[in-house]
Amino acid sequence: MPEKPTEEIESVAIRFTGDSGDGMQLTGTKFTESTALAGNDLATLPDYPAEIRAPTGTLAGVSGFQIHFSSHDIRTPADHPDVLVSFNPAALRANVEDVRPGGMVILNIDAFTEKALTRAGYTEDPLPALRDRFQLVEIPFTKLNRAALADLDLRSRDADRSKNFFALGMLYWLYNRPMEPTLRWLEGKFKGDVLEANARVLKAGHAFGETTETLPRSFVIPRAKIAPGHYRNITGNTALAWGIVAASQVFDQEVFLGAYPITPASEVLHEVSRYRHFGVKTFQAEDEIAAISSAIGASFAGSLGVCTTSGPGLVLKQEALGLAIMAELPLVVVNVQRAGPSTGMPTKVEQADLLNALYGRNSDSPVPVIAAATAGDCFGTTLEAFRLAVKYMTPVVMLSDSYLANSAEPWQIPDVASLGQERAPFATDPESFQPYSRDPETLARPWATPGTAGLEHRIGGLAKQDGTGNVSYDAKNNAHMHALRHEKVARIANEIPPTEVLGPDRGELLVVGWGSTQGAILSACIEAREDGQNVSNIHLRYLNPLPPDLGEVLARFDKVLVPELNLGQLSLLIRSQFLIDAKSLSKVEGQPFLVEELRAEIDAMLGLET
Amino acid sequence: MAQAVQITQKDFSSDQDVRWCPGCGDYSILANVQRVMPELGVRRENFVFVSGIGCSSRFPYYMNTYGFHTIHGRAPSIATGIKCARPELSVWVVTGDGDGMSIGGNHLLHTIRRNVDIQILLFNNRVYGLTKGQYSPTSRVGMNTKSSPEGSIDYPIQPLAFALGAGATFVARTVDVDAPHLQETLRRAHEHRGTAFVEILQNCHVFNDDEWIEVEDRKQRIDAGMKVVDGAPLVYGSEGARRGIRIEDGVPSVIELADGQDPVAAGVAVHRERYETPAYAFALASLARPEFPLPTGVFRAIENPSYEALLSAQVASARVQRGKGDLEALLSSGDTWTVEA
């Protein structure tokens, strides 16, 4: 049989969809790993229900994983998949309208029974109409998979569990991905019949791709031209966890992580718990309050205290966060934001806790707030949070979100030496020691830990006399301490690097973003500039304090657009602080921005009809 | 230990003026704690006192040690973090019936359950003092306060029963003004490895005066109180009115003892701190006036590894098995690839 032809393409976006029990997240993750090793740039978007097992075959139970990979720079998981893989009618119905017109839709046709169609809410067979709009590839994955395993002593239910790997094998062939990373993973993960079954169907799927007439050609996506270096694939939660572990090395100090399980932050606790040999202690507390309280205790005792949570947890932590502000202890509070309010949509994205991080406590209680922009950036931003916390003796809130948490990208592995070596300036000298004396540059108070002779002192939540730290109800002192705490956080602005304007440094429109929207904003603005539009963009890592040059940058543009996955929180800050008519573009659908949504708004602001 | 020998009670007094109401039981507790500290063989800088919110929680300000006056109910969690980070420190939590049993009940429960090696002193005066006199979770039913003008309808919680229910490895009760007994109880609490939970019956002179007068007053104490001692029968009462406590199927009853009668032969229970199950200690904790004497002393003391010791052991064993963490190896673990220039 002659080998099938290959076609070179620049990029493709594939969405794997099925029941939440069909293994779509695993399939997507394995495809991602293989794609990273193939040298493409990539971005992923896992999208799954909060329920562990929603009723089979229903729209509520549909789980999806989208990967966008390319031979050029990739910043988003793509607005519209080119390929949809659907393991049942519900997955098809929930996703098919997102597919690019004329795109490929690969179906497990065995699952398209009348009963399953009804379950998914179809009143008639949708396939005839879809055949006109898309390139339908109907494959009996269940039957083929069972046939491949016929001689193994497996119940058909168990055999069916591996059909996702059959499809994965076929897609490896279709996009010329290496199978070896997945085979290696299988060997490390399973043994016996389970290993044999999964490895066999992966290869069978690949062979099926090679031979089936349904797929006339395979596609080649050349390696991306990315900066030279050593790379790995990473998700935001892993990068965040490794940032916490790295802090123990950079500061040569024990890290104490107090956490309570909460979606989508739990993986950080899981990951960090694996690295006790780094001198990292993890504590699964009884609740969110105990989680932060234990971390505050550990910081008081001289460890690097950190706690990881999501929105509802941050709310519960606010009282204790106020104590850390008053006690002026270093602490990192990580909020992997999710869609709210209340329990909201725990697995979906939102960036709506900005104001809560800034202002969600009693009284004026300033805290530095920084945000990660990409999955890989979670590593450096976490380390930056520790650095600020120790240098300024303050709690720091670090914001990630559920999109960053679960999405993956290739990440250039940093040289450990480049991370620097920091030393916490522990107080040791009893001579003229005062617990609330100040470093003249940073206004930080000394970190004097129990066990140090001669530095015995008391701290707490009651108002403090400057210097001695003794309880004080003195009116002027209270105002003075308010001002000091405010000024201490404000001084962090002195070390924020100049704001980098992408595009013209003055002009018609500036798009201002923060957090996980960076990829979509950057893509939209680059495309707009390529179309000759006068639009620039900046992305903020420091939300409190804001960059000192921000006002001056904003003033160089006629119009300012602030896209956010909330109802306009940064926009509110910018409008109030700089008295400009910044326009908010908000999206609160539990999904990241599409590039086309941003482009439409940019067009509208530039007065262009679309 | 040279310093430990030299330091005295005075070394443990901070320069802050003590601001409890005149007549408050906290003065006596503070003095006795300061008295015991120099005897414990711990350097002063290794003591940490942690408190929540309430009258009792001002305690750390008056101790010339490391101290942390935190937020309402959370002291056990903050103390857990301190002890996990620095197991060599001697960590003491000072709390009250409102702070510990009400807003902080959850943290107290889980800290005791984990057996973190700290001392928890719960000053029980059966009233909210700092907020000026509302009923607390340990107040008696029917207590008239500003927030219960027609009498409290809350059934009270018994702190020692709570601690035993949480699996406490050390449970004791003592009285604010009974200096020798208080000091001995503090020493025992300090010796214990694991969470030592001590209820100190304490008088609030302003809002609930004489709540514990029957065990504070030396004379009344003889018939109304019962000091339990490991290995000794549960007996109490003045000459000619000696009584003992029998506990049968978990149900306690009072036995009147004739002059010279052997209490054990009469069926009086023998106190043991180390019964296998906490049922006996629980029965002891349920004894209440006026039907029974109010017992004081160490109700239960058993051995179990403490949380922070187990945590440190996991760190140590991970280091033995995997070596000290290597960040470079971690970042490059799994599948990686190199892009050539």
Side-chain angles (χ1 to χ4, degrees):
Chain A
M1 189 190 65
E3 212 167 275
K4 291 187 192 174
T6 58
E7 183 183 333
E8 185 172 310
I9 54 174
E10 228 180 67
S11 66
V12 65
I14 304 174
R15 187 184 293 178
F16 297 94
T17 62
D19 248 337
S20 53
D22 279 340
M24 292 301 98
Q25 301 306 319
L26 180 65
T27 310
T29 307
K30 295 296 130 195
F31 192 92
T32 303
E33 287 168 6
S34 192
T35 294
L37 290 175
N40 296 124
D41 197 8
L42 66 90
T44 70
L45 175 62
D47 187 17
Y48 49 89
E51 296 77 15
I52 301 302
R53 288 277 190 281
T56 314
T58 61
L59 289 177
V62 173
S63 171
F65 187 104
Q66 185 162 320
I67 170 166
H68 186 198
F69 56 104
S70 169
S71 59
H72 59 69
D73 207 11
I74 284 274
R75 297 168 216 100
T76 75
D79 291 3
H80 300 287
D82 304 293
V83 180
L84 174 69
V85 182
S86 288
F87 273 83
N88 68 14
L92 176 72
R93 183 155 180 246
N95 291 283
V96 73
E97 291 310 319
D98 292 341
V99 179
R100 164 178 70 76
M104 188 190 286
V105 176
I106 300 173
L107 302 174
N108 176 20
I109 204 65
D110 292 333
F112 282 67
T113 61
E114 205 174 313
K115 196 173 145 199
L117 286 167
T118 311
R119 243 181 145 191
Y122 281 121
T123 49
E124 57 182 76
D125 185 0
L127 302 186
L130 292 176
R131 282 188 193 106
D132 296 338
R133 299 170 55 206
F134 305 102
Q135 184 194 340
L136 250 55
V137 179
E138 299 162 41
I139 295 180
F141 282 128
T142 310
K143 275 201 206 87
L144 292 167
N145 184 65
R146 280 186 197 169
L149 300 175
D151 61 321
L152 286 184
D153 187 22
L154 289 172
R155 284 179 303 170
S156 57
R157 229 182 89 196
D158 291 333
D160 287 355
R161 276 200 196 140
S162 58
K163 64 181 183 296
N164 57 330
F165 270 60
F166 188 97
L168 182 63
M170 190 188 89
L171 281 146
Y172 280 167
W173 172 81
L174 189 58
Y175 291 99
N176 287 283
R177 314 279 91 181
M179 271 194 290
E180 288 69 30
T182 307
L183 288 170
R184 270 206 305 276
W185 175 82
L186 283 171
E187 279 158 21
K189 182 95 179 163
F190 303 113
K191 38 184 194 241
D193 276 359
V194 184
L195 167 62
E196 170 63 20
N198 281 287
R200 192 191 286 192
V201 301
L202 186 75
K203 291 175 192 164
H206 195 274
F208 174 78
E210 264 173 359
T211 52
T212 180
E213 287 173 12
T214 319
L215 301 169
R217 69 177 69 76
S218 69
F219 300 92
V220 170
I221 296 91
R223 301 180 81 86
K225 289 172 203 67
I226 38 185
H230 194 202
Y231 283 82
R232 66 170 307 116
N233 210 40
I234 203 156
T235 64
N237 270 352
T238 303
L240 213 164
W242 289 5
I244 291 171
V245 174
S248 72
Q249 307 301 294
V250 168
F251 288 87
D252 195 17
Q253 223 175 313
E254 208 169 81
V255 164
F256 179 94
L257 168 64
Y260 184 73
I262 185 168
T263 304
S266 302
E267 289 93 355
V268 180
L269 169 64
H270 305 167
E271 183 68 14
V272 176
S273 299
R274 298 171 56 200
Y275 304 112
R276 294 240 149 106
H277 58 304
F278 279 84
V280 175
K281 288 175 177 164
T282 54
F283 171 65
Q284 182 177 312
E286 60 271 21
D287 59 27
E288 296 282 355
I289 298 168
I292 184 172
S293 298
S294 62
I296 290 172
S299 278
F300 176 63
S303 285
L304 296 169
V306 52
C307 50
T308 50
T309 188
S310 186
L314 180 67
V315 174
L316 286 164
K317 291 182 189 320
Q318 291 286 18
E319 186 199 21
L321 186 50
L323 173 69
I325 290 167
M326 198 69 162
E328 301 190 44
L329 284 169
L331 175 75
V332 173
V333 179
V334 174
N335 178 8
V336 186
Q337 300 165 96
R338 66 189 215 187
S342 187
T343 309
M345 299 193 286
T347 57
K348 310 290 181 186
V349 67
E350 213 167 71
Q351 42 179 187
D353 296 341
L354 175 61
L355 294 181
N356 190 264
L358 280 163
Y359 302 120
R361 293 164 296 282
N362 54 319
S363 187
D364 290 303
S365 48
V367 66
V369 179
I370 60 176
T374 69
D377 186 42
C378 287
F379 180 81
T381 304
T382 302
L383 270 180
E384 174 68 357
F386 278 103
R387 196 185 63 78
L388 293 176
V390 170
K391 182 170 178 183
Y392 292 88
M393 287 291 283
T394 177
V396 174
V397 177
M398 188 277 206
L399 297 174
S400 174
D401 64 37
S402 103
Y403 169 54
L404 294 182
N406 297 309
S407 67
E409 64 170 359
W411 180 56
Q412 191 174 357
I413 300 168
D415 175 17
V416 169
S418 75
L419 302 177
Q421 196 65 52
E422 307 264 349
R423 277 265 179 256
F426 289 115
T428 51
D429 186 6
E431 194 64 39
S432 73
F433 168 75
Q434 288 206 310
Y436 278 73
S437 62
R438 301 281 159 188
D439 178 290
E441 185 210 337
T442 62
L443 299 181
R445 76 174 189 90
W447 196 358
T449 62
T452 316
L455 303 191
E456 292 87 350
H457 66 283
R458 276 65 56 193
I459 60 170
L462 284 170
K464 298 274 166 292
Q465 188 182 49
D466 195 15
T468 65
N470 289 333
V471 175
S472 167
Y473 284 78
D474 180 83
K476 294 281 183 236
N477 177 71
N478 194 55
H480 170 66
M481 292 300 277
H482 260 297
L484 262 180
R485 286 187 295 266
H486 180 84
E487 173 65 14
K488 182 171 83 162
V489 173
R491 283 195 186 182
I492 292 174
N494 295 337
E495 54 178 287
I496 300 178
T499 302
E500 188 189 2
V501 180
L502 298 175
D505 69 355
R506 61 185 61 244
E508 217 175 330
L509 175 62
L510 179 71
V511 182
V512 182
W514 69 277
S516 71
T517 53
Q518 176 175 266
I521 292 174
L522 200 53
S523 289
C525 291
I526 288 173
E527 283 182 18
R529 287 194 284 271
E530 281 168 1
D531 287 352
Q533 296 177 2
N534 188 338
V535 52
S536 304
N537 65 288
I538 60 174
H539 207 73
L540 305 181
R541 182 192 228 187
Y542 299 84
L543 283 319
N544 191 40
L546 289 165
D549 62 354
L550 184 59
E552 185 263 320
V553 170
L554 294 167
R556 298 202 300 254
F557 293 85
D558 300 339
K559 293 176 178 171
V560 171
L561 174 65
V562 188
E564 292 175 272
L565 300 175
N566 59 46
L567 293 179
Q569 301 193 3
L570 177 64
S571 155
L572 183 80
L573 293 174
I574 286 179
R575 289 174 67 93
S576 66
Q577 191 152 341
F578 301 105
L579 300 176
I580 61 165
D581 189 19
K583 184 171 188 315
S584 166
L585 171 62
S586 58
K587 179 174 182 180
V588 283
E589 298 172 6
Q591 297 291 336
F593 277 116
L594 301 181
V595 174
E596 65 191 27
E597 292 166 340
L598 295 165
R599 290 222 51 193
E601 188 61 30
I602 290 169
D603 286 351
M605 286 198 69
L606 293 174
L608 304 166
E609 290 303 320
T610 48
Chain B
M1 286 298 138
Q3 188 199 11
V5 178
Q6 291 162 14
I7 53 174
T8 65
Q9 177 175 359
K10 214 169 141 254
D11 293 309
F12 283 91
S13 303
S14 78
D15 59 355
Q16 299 296 293
D17 295 332
V18 183
R19 290 188 186 164
W20 287 307
C21 309
C24 178
D26 291 357
Y27 283 97
S28 168
I29 302 172
L30 176 65
N32 282 294
V33 170
Q34 288 170 338
R35 173 82 187 275
V36 168
M37 291 290 113
E39 304 169 10
L40 300 181
V42 176
R43 299 174 73 94
R44 190 178 63 178
E45 64 269 22
N46 284 344
F47 281 110
V48 185
F49 278 78
V50 186
S51 64
I53 294 293
C55 295
S56 60
S57 289
R58 298 297 175 100
F59 203 92
Y61 287 120
Y62 310 133
M63 293 293 298
N64 190 16
T65 62
Y66 283 91
F68 201 169
H69 175 222
T70 70
I71 41 177
H72 210 8
R74 320 304 176 201
S77 307
I78 286 174
T80 296
I82 294 171
K83 188 70 183 176
C84 287
R86 300 279 299 281
E88 76 277 16
L89 298 173
S90 178
V91 182
W92 298 66
V93 167
V94 179
T95 183
D97 42 313
D99 188 59
M101 296 274 88
S102 194
I103 193 168
N106 194 36
H107 308 306
L108 198 55
L109 162 67
H110 292 282
T111 303
I112 292 171
R113 165 176 79 81
R114 293 188 187 103
N115 201 31
V116 183
D117 183 18
I118 59 176
Q119 291 67 236
I120 299 176
L121 311 182
L122 184 138
F123 300 5
N124 184 7
N125 57 18
R126 293 184 140 178
V127 74
Y128 281 99
L130 197 62
T131 51
K132 298 190 168 55
Q134 300 82 3
Y135 62 96
S136 91
T138 57
S139 296
R140 303 175 197 218
V141 171
M143 184 176 177
N144 284 300
T145 70
K146 285 175 196 157
S147 58
S148 57
E150 295 180 59
S152 166
I153 51 174
D154 275 25
Y155 299 111
I157 191 166
Q158 167 46 255
L160 296 190
F162 172 90
L164 288 163
T169 53
F170 182 98
V171 164
R173 178 191 283 148
T174 184
V175 182
D176 52 3
V177 292
D178 189 349
H181 191 262
L182 176 54
Q183 288 176 26
E184 179 54 23
T185 308
L186 294 172
R187 278 185 214 104
R188 287 289 312 276
H190 178 258
E191 277 167 23
H192 179 72
R193 294 287 155 254
T195 305
F197 183 80
V198 181
E199 178 191 21
I200 304 177
L201 308 181
Q202 175 250 331
N203 190 43
C204 176
H205 183 53
V206 174
F207 295 109
N208 200 15
D209 200 17
D210 289 344
E211 176 67 27
W212 306 112
I213 190 66
E214 290 177 306
V215 282
E216 286 175 334
D217 180 82
R218 280 163 198 262
K219 281 192 186 137
Q220 294 183 55
R221 191 188 288 162
I222 297 168
D223 289 306
M226 178 173 70
K227 286 182 180 168
V228 300
V229 178
D230 196 31
L234 297 178
V235 292
Y236 65 104
S238 40
E239 282 298 316
R242 283 175 72 236
R243 296 181 169 90
I245 301 293
R246 173 164 54 191
I247 300 178
E248 213 169 41
D249 296 335
V251 181
S253 57
V254 175
I255 294 176
E256 313 250 347
L257 296 171
D259 269 355
Q261 191 181 358
D262 176 10
V264 178
V268 170
V270 173
H271 180 63
R272 303 234 182 266
E273 296 172 357
R274 287 157 204 274
Y275 282 114
E276 204 168 310
T277 77
Y280 160 78
F282 196 85
L284 213 52
S286 73
L287 300 182
R289 299 291 298 149
E291 194 185 349
F292 294 102
L294 208 52
T296 55
V298 177
F299 286 28
R300 184 167 173 78
I302 58 166
E303 302 285 331
N304 224 7
S306 62
Y307 183 87
E308 82 291 340
L310 293 171
L311 181 60
S312 295
Q314 284 192 346
V315 170
S317 117
R319 284 199 157 141
V320 169
Q321 285 166 24
R322 303 165 70 185
K324 195 170 182 296
D326 178 347
L327 186 59
E328 205 165 313
L330 170 64
L331 298 183
S332 300
S333 59
D335 291 329
T336 64
W337 67 96
T338 301
V339 175
E340 304 294 346

